[in-house]
Amino acid sequence: MIAIIDYGMGNLKNVHKALQSIEVESIITADPKVIGQSEKVILPGVGAFKDAIHTINASGLREVIDESAYSEKPFLGICLGMQLLFENSYENGSYKGLGYIPGDIVKLEVPLKVPHMGWNTLEIVKHEPIFEGVPNNSYAYFVHSYHMEGAEGMISAYTTYGKRFGVAVQKDNIYGAQFHPEKSSTVGLQMLKNFASL
């Protein structure tokens, strides 16, 4: 069973539907007990970093999220959920993240339209288990104005949009994707299938 953490700011139904389509059992939940008992955890997210980390800290979910991340259970952060895994964010201020991945979330400074929205390629540099069966330069779907910086030695995929930057990261049992696997057609479904089989 995969717990999709509901802290009020996620693309929950799309993630749930994507998992249903590949016949993987999941539950959308804000119940710490259910999250704690789950085999795997997905932390989705859409919106502002400040609001998300405040909501997580105020909701009583922080403790079980920390426990899940520091256990051996597979843990996947998607989009804003991935950004929350980092130590700091500089989105409209300076905010402490969950701190599982060393590095920062910074504004995407490129001579192109921001947010970076739509399909772009994945330059896979480390074939982690989550990329099993995903060809290099496959397309994934992005919507973001901030990106990761740091995470030395932990970045598993990059994209290029005005500049090259990391869009997938792994540290032990923790995985992060700046793009949306649940919106990335067969490539994204393959990644979710891989995550489910970890």
Side-chain angles (χ1 to χ4, degrees), residues 56-172:
I56 285 171
N57 289 333
S59 67
L61 287 171
R62 176 66 185 262
E63 188 178 348
V64 73
I65 291 172
D66 283 346
E67 285 172 3
S68 297
Y70 291 120
S71 72
E72 292 185 356
K73 71 169 70 171
F75 188 111
L76 173 63
I78 294 174
C79 197
L80 175 59
M82 181 222 73
Q83 295 182 358
L84 290 167
L85 304 177
F86 281 73
E87 293 170 314
N88 306 290
S89 171
Y90 295 98
E91 180 182 350
N92 301 322
S94 175
Y95 305 98
K96 291 283 182 195
L98 295 170
Y100 312 144
I101 306 284
D104 301 322
I105 300 301
V106 300
K107 189 168 179 60
L108 182 58
E109 303 276 7
V110 293
L112 298 169
K113 187 178 176 185
V114 174
H116 171 212
M117 184 182 294
W119 295 88
N120 207 342
T121 52
L122 298 176
E123 178 198 342
I124 301 169
V125 294
K126 290 172 75 178
H127 277 273
E128 306 294 1
I130 204 159
F131 285 122
E132 186 70 37
V134 176
N136 197 19
N137 297 314
S138 292
Y139 280 83
Y141 189 80
F142 291 85
V143 185
H144 66 112
S145 302
Y146 290 77
H147 70 97
M148 69 172 86
E149 224 176 46
E152 305 304 336
M154 299 173 190
I155 296 175
S156 50
Y158 291 82
T159 199
T160 299
Y161 183 73
K163 66 178 182 181
R164 182 177 182 257
F165 52 90
V167 292
V169 63
Q170 185 200 353
K171 181 186 177 188
D172 303 323

Side-chain angles (χ1 to χ4, degrees), residues 21-49:
S21 75
I22 54 172
E23 299 179 351
V24 171
E25 195 177 357
S26 65
I27 183 169
I28 297 170
T29 182
D31 184 338
K33 189 176 178 183
V34 174
I35 296 166
Q37 291 174 345
S38 67
E39 293 171 29
K40 301 175 181 74
V41 169
I42 293 179
L43 182 67
V46 174
F49 190 102

